[in-house]
Amino acid sequence: MADELHILFNTGAYPPARCGGGPIKSVSALAKKLVQRGCRVTVAAINCDGDEVLDVPIARPVRRDGVDVLYFDTARCWWQGLPLNALQKASVFRMTDNWHQWIWQCGGEFDVINSQLGFLASNPQASLVAKSSSSLYFYHQRGNLDPRRFGRRAWLKKLFITLCEQKILKRADALIALSQREADVYRSLRPNARIAHIPNGVDVEAWRVPAEPSGSLKQDLQRLAAGPMVVWLNRYDSRKGPDIFIDSIHRARQEGILVNGLMAGPDATGMLPQIQARIHTLGLGDFLIARSGLEGADLRAVLHASSIYALPTSGEGFSMGLLEAMAAGSFVVTTPEANFPELELHHAGLVVDCSAESFKNAYSHILSKPHFAEATRNNARALVGEQFNWDAVVDRYLALVRELRALRAMKLICDR
Protein backbone atom coordinates (compact mmCIF):
# COMPACT_ATOMS: atom_id res chain seq x y z
CA MET A 1 0.00 0.00 0.00
CA ALA A 2 2.75 2.49 0.92
CA ASP A 3 4.17 2.79 -2.60
CA GLU A 4 0.73 3.89 -3.86
CA LEU A 5 0.33 6.72 -1.37
CA HIS A 6 0.83 10.40 -2.13
CA ILE A 7 0.82 12.39 1.11
CA LEU A 8 0.76 16.17 1.58
CA PHE A 9 2.22 17.62 4.77
CA ASN A 10 0.80 21.10 5.26
CA THR A 11 3.07 22.74 7.80
CA GLY A 12 4.74 25.94 8.98
CA ALA A 13 8.50 26.26 8.82
CA TYR A 14 10.56 23.49 7.22
CA PRO A 15 14.31 23.00 6.66
CA PRO A 16 16.48 24.90 6.03
CA ALA A 17 14.49 26.83 8.67
CA ARG A 18 15.58 26.12 12.26
CA CYS A 19 13.78 28.54 14.57
CA GLY A 20 10.62 26.45 14.80
CA GLY A 21 12.38 23.87 16.98
CA GLY A 22 10.88 20.41 17.49
CA PRO A 23 8.08 20.54 14.87
CA ILE A 24 10.62 21.21 12.11
CA LYS A 25 12.67 18.20 13.20
CA SER A 26 9.76 15.83 13.68
CA VAL A 27 7.82 16.76 10.54
CA SER A 28 10.89 16.58 8.27
CA ALA A 29 11.99 13.28 9.83
CA LEU A 30 8.53 11.73 9.39
CA ALA A 31 8.40 12.90 5.76
CA LYS A 32 11.82 11.38 5.05
CA LYS A 33 10.92 8.06 6.70
CA LEU A 34 7.66 7.79 4.74
CA VAL A 35 9.59 8.31 1.50
CA GLN A 36 11.95 5.52 2.53
CA ARG A 37 8.87 3.29 2.92
CA GLY A 38 7.90 3.97 -0.70
CA CYS A 39 5.42 6.82 -0.22
CA ARG A 40 5.52 9.99 -2.27
CA VAL A 41 5.55 12.96 0.11
CA THR A 42 4.98 16.60 -0.77
CA VAL A 43 5.44 19.34 1.84
CA ALA A 44 3.82 22.77 1.66
CA ALA A 45 5.63 25.21 3.98
CA ILE A 46 6.10 28.92 4.52
CA ASN A 47 9.25 30.66 3.28
CA CYS A 48 10.22 32.00 6.71
CA ASP A 49 12.62 31.13 9.50
CA GLY A 50 11.39 33.24 12.40
CA ASP A 51 11.57 36.82 11.13
CA GLU A 52 13.93 35.94 8.27
CA VAL A 53 12.83 35.13 4.72
CA LEU A 54 14.39 31.96 3.31
CA ASP A 55 16.28 32.11 0.04
CA VAL A 56 14.18 29.45 -1.69
CA PRO A 57 12.06 29.26 -4.85
CA ILE A 58 8.40 30.15 -4.34
CA ALA A 59 5.64 27.66 -5.22
CA ARG A 60 8.09 25.40 -7.06
CA PRO A 61 9.19 22.03 -5.66
CA VAL A 62 12.61 21.65 -4.10
CA ARG A 63 13.81 18.08 -3.49
CA ARG A 64 15.07 17.48 0.09
CA ASP A 65 15.85 13.90 1.19
CA GLY A 66 13.47 12.58 -1.45
CA VAL A 67 10.66 14.92 -0.35
CA ASP A 68 9.18 17.53 -2.71
CA VAL A 69 9.03 20.77 -0.71
CA LEU A 70 7.14 23.84 -1.89
CA TYR A 71 7.60 27.14 -0.05
CA PHE A 72 4.93 29.85 -0.13
CA ASP A 73 4.76 33.56 0.65
CA THR A 74 2.79 34.87 3.60
CA ALA A 75 1.50 38.30 4.56
CA ARG A 76 0.21 40.07 7.64
CA CYS A 77 -3.52 39.94 8.38
CA TRP A 78 -5.47 43.19 8.01
CA TRP A 79 -6.48 43.22 11.67
CA GLN A 80 -2.84 43.23 12.77
CA GLY A 81 -2.81 46.86 11.73
CA LEU A 82 -5.44 47.78 14.34
CA PRO A 83 -4.23 49.82 17.37
CA LEU A 84 -4.36 46.88 19.79
CA ASN A 85 -1.07 45.53 21.06
CA ALA A 86 -2.23 41.91 21.41
CA LEU A 87 -3.37 41.86 17.77
CA GLN A 88 -0.27 43.59 16.43
CA LYS A 89 2.05 41.09 18.13
CA ALA A 90 0.04 37.97 17.29
CA SER A 91 2.32 35.52 15.47
CA VAL A 92 -0.15 34.77 12.71
CA PHE A 93 -0.26 35.50 9.00
CA ARG A 94 -2.36 34.89 5.92
CA MET A 95 -1.44 32.87 2.87
CA THR A 96 -0.99 34.76 -0.39
CA ASP A 97 -2.55 33.89 -3.75
CA ASN A 98 0.20 31.49 -4.81
CA TRP A 99 -0.80 29.11 -1.99
CA HIS A 100 -4.54 29.23 -2.71
CA GLN A 101 -4.04 28.67 -6.43
CA TRP A 102 -1.70 25.74 -5.85
CA ILE A 103 -3.75 23.86 -3.22
CA TRP A 104 -7.00 24.06 -5.19
CA GLN A 105 -5.27 23.05 -8.40
CA CYS A 106 -3.26 20.14 -6.96
CA GLY A 107 -5.04 19.14 -3.74
CA GLY A 108 -7.17 16.44 -5.33
CA GLU A 109 -4.13 14.33 -6.26
CA PHE A 110 -3.25 13.51 -2.64
CA ASP A 111 -4.39 10.39 -0.80
CA VAL A 112 -3.76 12.09 2.55
CA ILE A 113 -3.63 15.77 3.43
CA ASN A 114 -2.05 16.19 6.87
CA SER A 115 -2.04 19.55 8.64
CA GLN A 116 1.08 19.20 10.77
CA LEU A 117 0.55 22.13 13.13
CA GLY A 118 -2.33 23.97 14.75
CA PHE A 119 -3.07 27.66 14.14
CA LEU A 120 -1.74 27.65 10.57
CA ALA A 121 -3.36 30.08 8.16
CA SER A 122 -3.20 27.36 5.51
CA ASN A 123 -5.20 24.81 7.54
CA PRO A 124 -8.73 25.99 6.58
CA GLN A 125 -8.07 25.66 2.86
CA ALA A 126 -6.18 22.38 3.27
CA SER A 127 -9.10 20.86 5.17
CA LEU A 128 -11.66 22.14 2.67
CA VAL A 129 -9.70 20.76 -0.26
CA ALA A 130 -9.50 17.37 1.45
CA LYS A 131 -13.24 17.32 2.09
CA SER A 132 -14.03 18.33 -1.49
CA SER A 133 -11.92 15.50 -2.88
CA SER A 134 -11.27 11.89 -1.96
CA SER A 135 -8.32 12.76 0.29
CA LEU A 136 -8.17 11.70 3.92
CA TYR A 137 -7.59 14.67 6.23
CA PHE A 138 -5.33 14.33 9.30
CA TYR A 139 -4.64 17.05 11.87
CA HIS A 140 -1.68 17.38 14.25
CA GLN A 141 -1.83 20.09 16.91
CA ARG A 142 1.74 19.59 18.27
CA GLY A 143 0.77 21.16 21.59
CA ASN A 144 -0.70 24.34 20.12
CA LEU A 145 -4.26 23.76 21.37
CA ASP A 146 -3.20 23.05 24.97
CA PRO A 147 -4.45 25.85 27.29
CA ARG A 148 -1.38 25.36 29.49
CA ARG A 149 0.70 26.82 26.65
CA PHE A 150 -1.45 29.82 25.77
CA GLY A 151 0.47 32.44 27.76
CA ARG A 152 -0.47 36.09 28.00
CA ARG A 153 -2.72 36.19 24.93
CA ALA A 154 -4.79 33.19 25.97
CA TRP A 155 -8.05 35.00 25.17
CA LEU A 156 -6.96 35.53 21.55
CA LYS A 157 -6.03 31.87 21.06
CA LYS A 158 -9.29 30.69 22.62
CA LEU A 159 -11.22 33.01 20.30
CA PHE A 160 -9.29 31.72 17.28
CA ILE A 161 -10.02 28.11 18.27
CA THR A 162 -13.74 28.88 18.61
CA LEU A 163 -14.03 30.80 15.34
CA CYS A 164 -11.67 28.81 13.14
CA GLU A 165 -9.83 25.80 14.50
CA GLN A 166 -12.89 23.87 15.74
CA LYS A 167 -14.36 23.94 12.23
CA ILE A 168 -11.14 22.40 10.94
CA LEU A 169 -11.19 19.70 13.64
CA LYS A 170 -14.70 18.68 12.56
CA ARG A 171 -13.47 18.07 9.01
CA ALA A 172 -10.66 15.75 10.12
CA ASP A 173 -10.86 12.02 9.49
CA ALA A 174 -8.37 11.62 12.35
CA LEU A 175 -6.84 13.89 14.98
CA ILE A 176 -3.30 12.75 15.68
CA ALA A 177 -2.12 13.10 19.28
CA LEU A 178 1.56 12.97 20.20
CA SER A 179 0.67 12.22 23.83
CA GLN A 180 -2.23 11.35 26.12
CA ARG A 181 -2.39 15.02 27.09
CA GLU A 182 -3.01 16.01 23.47
CA ALA A 183 -5.69 13.33 23.18
CA ASP A 184 -7.44 14.80 26.24
CA VAL A 185 -7.28 18.31 24.74
CA TYR A 186 -8.81 17.03 21.51
CA ARG A 187 -11.66 15.37 23.43
CA SER A 188 -12.42 18.64 25.23
CA LEU A 189 -12.87 20.31 21.83
CA ARG A 190 -14.41 17.47 19.82
CA PRO A 191 -15.62 14.67 22.12
CA ASN A 192 -16.59 12.15 19.43
CA ALA A 193 -13.55 12.54 17.19
CA ARG A 194 -11.37 9.69 15.97
CA ILE A 195 -8.10 10.24 17.84
CA ALA A 196 -4.94 8.32 16.98
CA HIS A 197 -1.96 8.27 19.35
CA ILE A 198 1.15 8.52 17.15
CA PRO A 199 4.14 10.02 18.99
CA ASN A 200 7.29 11.60 17.62
CA GLY A 201 10.18 9.28 16.88
CA VAL A 202 13.95 9.25 16.93
CA ASP A 203 16.61 7.62 14.77
CA VAL A 204 17.87 5.46 17.62
CA GLU A 205 20.94 3.95 15.97
CA ALA A 206 22.20 7.32 14.72
CA TRP A 207 21.98 8.95 18.16
CA ARG A 208 23.82 6.06 19.81
CA VAL A 209 26.97 6.83 17.79
CA PRO A 210 29.39 9.28 19.51
CA ALA A 211 30.67 12.28 17.57
CA GLU A 212 33.55 14.73 17.70
CA PRO A 213 32.69 18.38 18.41
CA SER A 214 33.87 21.05 16.01
CA GLY A 215 35.39 24.50 16.39
CA SER A 216 34.50 26.54 19.45
CA LEU A 217 32.24 23.82 20.80
CA LYS A 218 35.27 21.58 21.34
CA GLN A 219 36.84 24.33 23.44
CA ASP A 220 33.61 24.81 25.42
CA LEU A 221 33.38 21.11 26.22
CA GLN A 222 37.02 21.04 27.31
CA ARG A 223 36.30 23.93 29.70
CA LEU A 224 33.33 22.10 31.20
CA ALA A 225 34.96 18.67 31.41
CA ALA A 226 36.18 19.19 35.00
CA GLY A 227 32.81 18.08 36.41
CA PRO A 228 29.57 16.31 35.45
CA MET A 229 27.82 18.30 32.71
CA VAL A 230 24.10 19.12 32.73
CA VAL A 231 22.74 20.33 29.39
CA TRP A 232 19.73 22.40 28.32
CA LEU A 233 19.21 22.10 24.54
CA ASN A 234 16.06 23.92 23.44
CA ARG A 235 14.73 26.98 21.72
CA TYR A 236 15.41 30.04 23.87
CA ASP A 237 11.84 30.46 25.04
CA SER A 238 10.55 31.20 28.54
CA ARG A 239 8.27 28.12 28.40
CA LYS A 240 11.37 25.92 28.15
CA GLY A 241 12.58 27.15 31.54
CA PRO A 242 16.00 28.68 30.78
CA ASP A 243 15.92 30.79 33.96
CA ILE A 244 14.95 27.75 36.04
CA PHE A 245 17.87 25.86 34.52
CA ILE A 246 20.34 28.63 35.34
CA ASP A 247 19.04 28.86 38.91
CA SER A 248 19.30 25.08 39.32
CA ILE A 249 22.98 25.14 38.34
CA HIS A 250 23.57 28.11 40.67
CA ARG A 251 21.89 26.40 43.64
CA ALA A 252 23.70 23.14 42.98
CA ARG A 253 27.11 24.78 43.04
CA GLN A 254 26.23 26.78 46.15
CA GLU A 255 25.47 23.49 47.92
CA GLY A 256 28.65 21.77 46.77
CA ILE A 257 27.12 19.81 43.87
CA LEU A 258 29.87 20.75 41.42
CA VAL A 259 28.04 20.37 38.13
CA ASN A 260 28.82 22.37 35.02
CA GLY A 261 26.22 23.40 32.46
CA LEU A 262 25.78 24.03 28.76
CA MET A 263 22.83 25.79 27.12
CA ALA A 264 22.28 25.86 23.35
CA GLY A 265 19.43 26.41 20.93
CA PRO A 266 17.89 28.67 18.27
CA ASP A 267 17.26 32.21 19.49
CA ALA A 268 14.37 33.62 17.46
CA THR A 269 13.26 35.81 20.40
CA GLY A 270 16.63 37.51 21.02
CA MET A 271 16.82 36.07 24.55
CA LEU A 272 20.41 34.78 24.42
CA PRO A 273 22.20 38.05 25.38
CA GLN A 274 19.99 38.36 28.49
CA ILE A 275 20.72 34.73 29.39
CA GLN A 276 24.46 35.29 29.04
CA ALA A 277 24.28 38.47 31.13
CA ARG A 278 22.42 36.64 33.91
CA ILE A 279 25.00 33.88 33.94
CA HIS A 280 27.73 36.50 34.33
CA THR A 281 25.83 38.33 37.12
CA LEU A 282 25.49 35.10 39.11
CA GLY A 283 29.22 34.44 38.79
CA LEU A 284 28.70 31.28 36.76
CA GLY A 285 30.82 32.27 33.78
CA ASP A 286 33.41 29.54 34.41
CA PHE A 287 30.83 26.81 34.95
CA LEU A 288 27.88 27.53 32.63
CA ILE A 289 28.06 28.39 28.92
CA ALA A 290 25.12 29.64 26.82
CA ARG A 291 25.53 29.63 23.06
CA SER A 292 23.52 29.45 19.85
CA GLY A 293 22.00 26.30 18.41
CA LEU A 294 23.80 23.07 17.60
CA GLU A 295 23.12 20.60 14.82
CA GLY A 296 24.17 17.18 13.60
CA ALA A 297 27.46 15.84 14.95
CA ASP A 298 27.87 18.76 17.37
CA LEU A 299 24.54 18.02 19.02
CA ARG A 300 25.39 14.33 19.31
CA ALA A 301 28.80 15.22 20.76
CA VAL A 302 27.18 17.32 23.48
CA LEU A 303 24.63 14.66 24.43
CA HIS A 304 27.30 11.95 24.64
CA ALA A 305 29.49 14.23 26.79
CA SER A 306 26.62 15.10 29.14
CA SER A 307 25.61 13.37 32.35
CA ILE A 308 22.13 14.89 32.57
CA TYR A 309 19.67 16.42 30.09
CA ALA A 310 17.34 18.89 31.82
CA LEU A 311 14.04 20.16 30.41
CA PRO A 312 12.24 22.38 32.97
CA THR A 313 9.32 22.99 30.65
CA SER A 314 5.95 24.53 31.46
CA GLY A 315 4.32 23.05 28.35
CA GLU A 316 5.29 20.72 25.49
CA GLY A 317 3.76 18.97 22.55
CA PHE A 318 6.16 16.05 22.67
CA SER A 319 9.86 16.84 23.02
CA MET A 320 12.21 15.59 20.31
CA GLY A 321 15.09 16.66 22.56
CA LEU A 322 14.08 14.21 25.28
CA LEU A 323 14.01 11.33 22.80
CA GLU A 324 17.40 12.26 21.35
CA ALA A 325 18.96 12.56 24.81
CA MET A 326 17.57 9.17 25.87
CA ALA A 327 18.88 7.50 22.71
CA ALA A 328 22.30 9.09 23.24
CA GLY A 329 22.47 7.87 26.86
CA SER A 330 22.03 11.10 28.79
CA PHE A 331 19.88 10.90 31.97
CA VAL A 332 16.73 12.95 31.35
CA VAL A 333 15.01 15.10 33.97
CA THR A 334 11.84 16.96 33.08
CA THR A 335 8.44 18.07 34.41
CA PRO A 336 4.87 16.70 34.24
CA GLU A 337 4.19 19.36 31.60
CA ALA A 338 6.46 17.49 29.18
CA ASN A 339 3.54 15.04 28.81
CA PHE A 340 5.82 11.99 28.90
CA PRO A 341 4.43 9.65 31.60
CA GLU A 342 6.34 6.73 30.04
CA LEU A 343 9.48 8.07 31.75
CA GLU A 344 8.15 7.14 35.19
CA LEU A 345 6.25 4.07 34.02
CA HIS A 346 9.41 2.51 32.56
CA HIS A 347 11.85 4.00 35.12
CA ALA A 348 13.58 5.77 32.23
CA GLY A 349 14.10 9.23 33.76
CA LEU A 350 12.92 11.59 36.48
CA VAL A 351 9.81 13.77 36.42
CA VAL A 352 9.96 16.58 38.99
CA ASP A 353 8.26 19.89 39.78
CA CYS A 354 9.10 22.78 37.49
CA SER A 355 11.39 24.58 39.95
CA ALA A 356 15.11 25.20 40.34
CA GLU A 357 15.08 23.47 43.73
CA SER A 358 13.53 20.29 42.32
CA PHE A 359 16.01 20.12 39.45
CA LYS A 360 18.93 20.76 41.79
CA ASN A 361 17.76 17.91 44.02
CA ALA A 362 17.46 15.67 40.96
CA TYR A 363 21.08 16.36 39.98
CA SER A 364 22.21 15.44 43.48
CA HIS A 365 20.18 12.22 43.47
CA ILE A 366 21.45 11.10 40.06
CA LEU A 367 25.11 11.86 40.70
CA SER A 368 25.15 10.25 44.16
CA LYS A 369 23.64 6.97 42.93
CA PRO A 370 25.68 5.75 39.93
CA HIS A 371 24.04 2.30 39.78
CA PHE A 372 20.56 3.87 39.75
CA ALA A 373 21.68 6.33 37.06
CA GLU A 374 23.11 3.61 34.80
CA ALA A 375 20.04 1.39 35.18
CA THR A 376 17.79 4.33 34.33
CA ARG A 377 19.83 5.19 31.24
CA ASN A 378 19.59 1.58 30.08
CA ASN A 379 15.82 1.66 30.58
CA ALA A 380 15.65 4.86 28.53
CA ARG A 381 17.62 3.35 25.65
CA ALA A 382 15.33 0.31 25.67
CA LEU A 383 12.18 2.46 25.77
CA VAL A 384 13.08 4.63 22.77
CA GLY A 385 14.32 1.58 20.90
CA GLU A 386 11.07 -0.30 21.36
CA GLN A 387 8.37 2.38 21.28
CA PHE A 388 9.78 5.61 19.83
CA ASN A 389 11.98 4.55 16.92
CA TRP A 390 10.84 5.95 13.58
CA ASP A 391 10.00 2.54 12.14
CA ALA A 392 7.42 1.99 14.91
CA VAL A 393 6.01 5.49 14.40
CA VAL A 394 5.69 5.09 10.63
CA ASP A 395 4.03 1.70 11.16
CA ARG A 396 1.35 3.41 13.25
CA TYR A 397 0.88 6.19 10.70
CA LEU A 398 0.48 3.80 7.76
CA ALA A 399 -1.80 1.52 9.78
CA LEU A 400 -4.09 4.51 10.40
CA VAL A 401 -4.16 5.31 6.68
CA ARG A 402 -4.90 1.68 5.85
CA GLU A 403 -7.73 1.49 8.38
CA LEU A 404 -9.43 4.68 7.25
CA ARG A 405 -9.13 3.85 3.56
CA ALA A 406 -10.69 0.45 4.23
CA LEU A 407 -13.55 2.06 6.17
CA ARG A 408 -14.13 4.57 3.40
CA ALA A 409 -14.15 1.84 0.77
CA MET A 410 -16.62 -0.16 2.84
CA LYS A 411 -18.90 2.86 3.15
CA LEU A 412 -18.83 3.38 -0.62
CA ILE A 413 -19.79 -0.27 -1.12
CA CYS A 414 -22.62 0.01 1.41
CA ASP A 415 -23.85 3.29 -0.13
CA ARG A 416 -24.20 1.52 -3.48
Side-chain angles (χ1 to χ4, degrees), residues 306-362:
S306 68
S307 298
I308 300 169
Y309 178 97
L311 177 58
T313 180
S314 60
E316 290 291 313
F318 192 80
S319 172
M320 290 288 289
L322 284 175
L323 296 177
E324 292 165 354
M326 293 164 69
S330 190
F331 194 116
V332 299
V333 184
T334 189
T335 66
E337 289 76 19
N339 303 318
F340 199 178
E342 292 87 350
L343 283 178
E344 291 186 305
L345 183 63
H346 294 270
H347 306 288
L350 289 181
V351 178
V352 301
D353 292 339
C354 192
S355 69
E357 183 70 12
S358 294
F359 274 78
K360 179 265 294 181
N361 290 339

Side-chain angles (χ1 to χ4, degrees), residues 217-297:
L217 176 62
K218 186 173 184 178
Q219 298 173 358
D220 288 344
L221 293 181
Q222 288 172 344
R223 280 180 55 194
L224 300 173
M229 186 170 68
V230 186
V231 297
W232 180 97
L233 306 173
N234 300 284
R235 282 181 294 118
Y236 284 100
D237 184 310
S238 58
R239 289 179 300 188
K240 305 288 185 177
D243 289 337
I244 292 174
F245 179 76
I246 293 170
D247 288 344
S248 72
I249 299 295
H250 187 225
R251 292 187 184 203
R253 295 198 65 88
Q254 283 183 322
E255 296 186 19
I257 308 165
L258 301 182
V259 294
N260 294 326
L262 177 70
M263 306 177 70
D267 183 31
T269 60
M271 182 183 287
L272 181 55
Q274 302 169 26
I275 293 290
Q276 292 170 329
R278 190 155 186 266
I279 290 170
H280 177 75
T281 299
L282 291 172
L284 293 173
D286 292 333
F287 315 110
L288 176 56
I289 296 172
R291 52 178 296 147
S292 57
L294 303 172
E295 294 182 327

Side-chain angles (χ1 to χ4, degrees), residues 30-45:
L30 179 57
K32 179 180 176 181
K33 294 298 180 180
L34 284 167
V35 167
Q36 292 173 358
R37 287 290 189 92
C39 298
R40 181 182 173 192
V41 180
T42 299
V43 172

